Amino acid sequence: MTSTTTDTAGISTRGSATAWEGLVTAALLGTDRRTPPAEIMTPGRDAPVALLDAAALHTVRRRAGLLPARAAARPEPAPHDGRRPLPEPARRRLGQLLADRSAPSGGGGRRGTAPDLTELLPQWLAAANEHGYRAPAAALPALLDAARARTDLRPLALAFAGPRGLWLARLNPEWKFALRGASGGSVLPDARDIEAVRRLWEEGLFAERIALLGAVRAHDGEAARALLASTWSSERAEDRLMFLDSLRTGLSEADEPFLEQALSDRSRNVRSTAAELLSALPKSALAGRMAARAATCVSMDRTGGGQVIVVEAPHECDADMQRDGVVQTPPSGRGERSWWLGQLVEAAPLSTWPGRLGGRTPEEIVALPVLDDWADELHAAWCRAAVRQRDARWSAALLGRPVTSRESGPGTPSLAERAKLLATLPSAERASWVAAFISAHGLSEAFQLLGVCTVPWAEPLGRAVVDALDIARDAGSYPWSFSGVMGLAERCLDPAEASRLELLTATPDETEDTSPGAGGYWSEAFQRLVSTLRLRAAMLAELTQPSELAELAEPAEQAVPAAMTAPAELVAPTGLAVPAADQAVPHISAEHSAP
């Protein structure tokens, strides 16, 4: 004979589960549509109040009925990170930046005068990595959460998190992105330890293998190629593509035999990448084949009164062209012949053209007229070749003078392509060109070009941007039309410019042509710019504190790894550390409830 126990509310434990389901249903539908179970109703109470009372009671009952779960094995201790600890001011600053990463920027499109800390975090991480600091162990969960939310932060955040960050990411499924994409978070063996390298290459995570390949390649290019060849045929197509792409760093003529073999890969993407890498080697056999094909398509026409370029695009895309990376089927809206021509010209060494076109310089070549409306196609292909081959002289020739309009100049009118060309120039020349472009054309077309300039901006470039913003303010334009450039200025202007910008923080007088309220918005925007520049200066100063200050934080840092091995802290779904007071509470599982 079985018995049924009751609690102080008179509800049987046997009916507890049924009562809880009834409570949930009534709460979801509302007591007007679903009457709560009769056994939980308190006499004299309205249905909603009775429902809440019963929910409180049953919640306590359910929690009290849980039994401790079986203890899991403790994880291995966190690996050692030999980098130096952060200075205490920088540690506090990091906490501030991570805590503010999800803060709203204000309502109504008005940002106010306070700096946007979320936009300063990447710059802080870059500076901390440059100084060789390690991440505080207590900040790792918030750092990984920030990297999970923002893909642009991941390379910097994972490098800063180091081996402890990767170790911690293994213990929380929400941070698995770090295991796929981390290149600096693992502890790699010495590149000269052949056995350890081989073992990690065969057994490691993909991210560890990518990092290992890069480390071995930096030490011994031949050993890295041998390592890659040892498992090449058994790798997945997407992994072969990533491994091949990693050869861009340190690409040399010694890589040519391996890349030539990859031209016969079963994956089209792998074949295309191999062809692209080979075309970046001007002395490679593929570059020579492409040069011969392209030279038959582009030549000088001397039959007319002047000297012009004549183009005869390919009439077919044969098997040899396809093996060398030429894609046969063009995108929608492109003609086949122009599509094939562009691929041949962009893969041919730029050194092909001076000899082919009368010994002219790149500047003279791009200035020549081209018959039959082939100029745009030919110049666009030369632009892609200059970017691929990192040829600064050709890039400068194709960019032309910055005061010339995009439509009438050489090269390509695309701002995106111009930005790529600029990236091949020395940083000083790049900044000078963009500064002259802004002075001639204003800021409306300069956003993409500014994005490729070295930070902090050189003085001429910074002055050109500020002068253009000042002109826009005086013209009465609305500041949010320039919000993108203003945001870049906050991150990229030299912090030393803050004092010079103080005059611009005053609210200008409004005239008849001024947009209503624009002066106040401009004043706020410049105040925010000044305060952000000063904050950046303070951040950089904190990261360059004397090493003696950093050593004061060492004892507290050393105590963290043992605490970090506690499963309660590491597997929390939110990635947040469990307070010390909570770690004494046994782990409980819903599977172990009292009958």
Side-chain angles (χ1 to χ4, degrees):
M1 177 176 179
T2 60
S3 62
T4 300
T5 61
T6 60
D7 58 18
T8 56
I11 302 175
S12 69
T13 54
R14 178 177 296 176
S16 178
T18 303
W20 178 257
E21 293 176 1
L23 276 172
V24 172
T25 302
L28 290 174
L29 297 178
T31 55
D32 290 341
R33 299 177 58 190
R34 176 63 61 89
T35 303
E39 62 268 22
I40 72 168
M41 295 296 291
T42 303
R45 293 247 185 187
D46 293 336
V49 177
L51 179 67
L52 293 176
D53 288 345
L57 173 62
H58 279 266
T59 298
V60 174
R61 285 170 46 81
R62 288 168 63 85
R63 289 178 177 176
L66 296 178
L67 299 176
R70 185 172 300 158
R74 294 174 67 87
E76 293 294 325
H80 176 68
D81 189 339
R83 295 174 295 175
R84 55 180 178 159
L86 278 172
E88 187 57 33
R91 181 194 294 259
R92 291 195 298 268
R93 181 73 67 188
L94 175 61
Q96 181 186 18
L97 295 174
L98 290 173
D100 194 69
R101 65 185 176 85
S102 60
S105 58
R110 194 158 186 162
R111 290 178 53 195
T113 61
D116 186 350
L117 300 186
T118 62
E119 294 303 322
L120 296 181
L121 181 56
Q123 193 167 125
W124 188 97
L125 290 170
N129 288 332
E130 183 179 350
H131 285 288
Y133 291 118
R134 70 168 177 258
L140 286 175
L143 187 65
L144 290 170
D145 275 346
R148 178 170 64 92
R150 290 179 56 180
T151 56
D152 64 307
L153 278 180
R154 290 182 183 179
L156 292 170
L158 294 177
F160 183 56
R164 289 179 177 178
L166 188 62
W167 170 85
L168 189 59
R170 291 192 181 99
L171 302 173
N172 189 335
E174 293 193 358
W175 298 328
K176 61 184 178 182
F177 71 88
L179 308 181
R180 294 194 303 264
S183 59
S186 57
V187 179
L188 300 177
D190 191 308
R192 295 166 293 188
D193 188 340
I194 298 176
E195 181 59 28
V197 166
R198 183 196 62 78
R199 184 166 57 252
L200 182 60
W201 179 253
E202 294 178 354
E203 302 174 4
L205 298 169
F206 176 72
E208 293 172 323
R209 300 178 72 207
I210 283 283
L212 178 66
L213 183 64
V216 175
R217 183 171 174 80
H219 174 72
D220 185 346
E222 181 61 35
R225 287 188 296 273
L227 193 67
L228 187 54
S230 67
T231 58
W232 181 259
S233 60
S234 61
E235 303 285 358
R236 300 182 305 167
E238 53 267 36
D239 291 350
R240 294 199 306 276
L241 181 62
M242 292 294 293
F243 288 136
L244 198 64
D245 196 66
S246 70
L247 298 183
R248 295 181 189 275
T249 303
L251 183 68
S252 69
E253 294 177 2
D255 297 316
E256 182 179 359
F258 183 84
L259 294 174
E260 275 284 346
Q261 293 181 2
L263 289 176
S264 302
D265 194 89
R266 56 187 180 273
S267 166
R268 185 182 70 178
N269 289 334
V270 172
R271 295 195 301 270
S272 296
T273 300
E276 180 186 345
L277 293 174
L278 283 168
S279 68
L281 298 172
K283 296 182 180 180
S284 68
L286 179 137
R289 295 192 296 268
M290 288 298 196
R293 293 177 182 126
T296 64
C297 299
V298 182
S299 60
M300 296 298 302
D301 178 21
R302 303 177 185 274
T303 61
Q307 293 186 337
V308 298
I309 296 177
V310 62
V311 173
E312 180 66 26
H315 290 274
E316 65 173 344
C317 182
D318 57 34
D320 288 338
M321 289 170 61
Q322 293 180 50
R323 182 183 181 275
D324 283 347
V326 178
V327 178
Q328 182 179 24
T329 305
S332 177
R334 287 288 302 274
E336 284 186 336
R337 297 183 63 198
S338 64
W339 172 243
W340 299 332
L341 172 74
Q343 293 180 81
L344 294 182
V345 173
E346 72 176 280
L350 289 165
S351 58
T352 303
W353 305 112
R356 178 66 177 166
L357 302 176
R360 291 175 171 82
T361 64
E363 293 80 7
E364 293 170 337
I365 289 173
V366 298
L368 288 171
V370 183
L371 291 178
D372 300 328
D373 297 326
W374 283 104
D376 289 346
E377 188 69 48
L378 183 61
H379 286 180
W382 277 336
C383 286
R384 296 192 296 272
V387 172
R388 181 180 296 185
Q389 298 171 36
R390 310 296 298 176
D391 194 308
R393 185 172 183 184
W394 270 89
S395 293
L398 290 162
L399 281 166
R401 299 175 63 238
V403 297
T404 306
S405 67
R406 292 189 290 131
E407 291 73 17
S408 60
T412 172
S414 165
L415 284 171
E417 293 295 335
R418 282 192 159 193
K420 293 177 182 178
L421 290 171
L422 279 168
T424 69
L425 302 182
S427 58
E429 186 178 347
R430 194 184 318 165
S432 178
W433 196 97
V434 177
F437 181 91
I438 292 172
S439 298
H441 306 290
L443 290 170
S444 59
E445 297 181 342
F447 184 78
Q448 286 180 287
L449 306 182
L450 287 168
V452 300
C453 293
T454 304
V455 177
W457 289 336
E459 193 274 339
L461 177 57
R463 185 174 295 274
V465 171
V466 172
D467 288 346
L469 289 170
D470 192 18
I471 291 172
R473 183 190 68 155
D474 290 344
S477 303
Y478 276 118
W480 50 78
S481 301
F482 303 92
S483 59
V485 174
M486 186 65 79
L488 275 178
E490 292 172 11
R491 300 189 297 275
C492 303
L493 266 177
D494 190 331
E497 295 288 315
S499 298
R500 190 173 67 85
L501 296 175
E502 280 284 4
L503 293 175
L504 300 179
T505 61
T507 303
D509 296 332
E510 294 189 5
T511 65
E512 293 182 358
D513 298 330
T514 302
S515 301
Y521 280 92
W522 276 111
S523 177
E524 285 185 2
F526 279 113
Q527 289 179 52
R528 183 174 61 251
L529 176 58
V530 170
S531 60
T532 301
L533 293 179
R534 288 178 172 157
L535 177 57
R536 284 175 53 209
M539 284 168 37
L540 296 177
E542 292 162 357
L543 288 167
T544 54
Q545 292 289 319
S547 58
E548 292 79 8
L549 295 180
E551 298 300 327
L552 296 177
E554 187 67 23
E557 182 82 11
Q558 296 297 332
V560 174
M564 288 176 64
T565 60
E569 177 179 351
L570 298 175
V571 299
T574 61
L576 297 176
V578 177
D582 291 343
Q583 291 180 2
V585 178
H587 291 276
I588 54 178
S589 169
E591 297 177 359
H592 298 79
S593 58

